[in-house]
Amino acid sequence: NYQRLDGPVRGNSKVIQEFEGVFRGAGYDCIKLIWGKAWTELIENDPDGRFIDVLERTPDGDCQRLAAKQDGALVRKEIFDDNGLGHMVAHWSDAELLAAFMQPGG
């Protein structure tokens, strides 16, 4: 849960990008571990980068909503099928897909 004390929460942003900017601005090198080990197979089999693009364009609020609903079929539809990537997870059950989605990196 991301809360701000210095102003209003800006909805649907990528919080990790904000944090990276703050740390880089302070002179730190940053390594972002965004997606968990279960996504490795999908990322390695994404030669044109479409999957990564979809993940990066998905707002934090949508990821939180999908996590709260705990529905692998909904993750499949909104992240993969709606973006023409359903073939990437056709061999995964909804339960396997939800388990992977619920274990982000970092």
Side-chain angles (χ1 to χ4, degrees), residues 60-72 74-75 98 101-102:
D60 290 341
D62 286 352
C63 289
Q64 291 173 2
R65 176 181 53 80
L66 290 169
K69 291 191 179 259
Q70 294 283 302
D71 184 349
L74 188 59
V75 172
L98 180 62
F101 186 79
M102 296 302 295

Side-chain angles (χ1 to χ4, degrees), residues 29-90:
D29 291 328
C30 297
I31 298 172
K32 296 183 287 185
L33 302 174
I34 301 172
W35 299 103
K37 183 176 163 182
W39 294 120
T40 301
E41 170 195 342
L42 301 179
I43 292 168
E44 288 175 349
N45 292 310
D46 181 33
D48 58 4
R50 287 182 56 216
F51 177 54
I52 292 292
D53 183 56
V54 167
L55 293 177
E56 289 181 352
R57 284 186 294 110
T58 302
D60 290 341
D62 286 352
C63 289
Q64 291 173 2
R65 176 181 53 80
L66 290 169
K69 291 191 179 259
Q70 294 283 302
D71 184 349
L74 188 59
V75 172
R76 181 183 306 279
K77 178 190 177 308
E78 292 190 18
I79 300 293
F80 294 93
D81 293 342
D82 289 355
N83 292 290
L85 300 173
H87 64 281
M88 294 183 76
V89 292

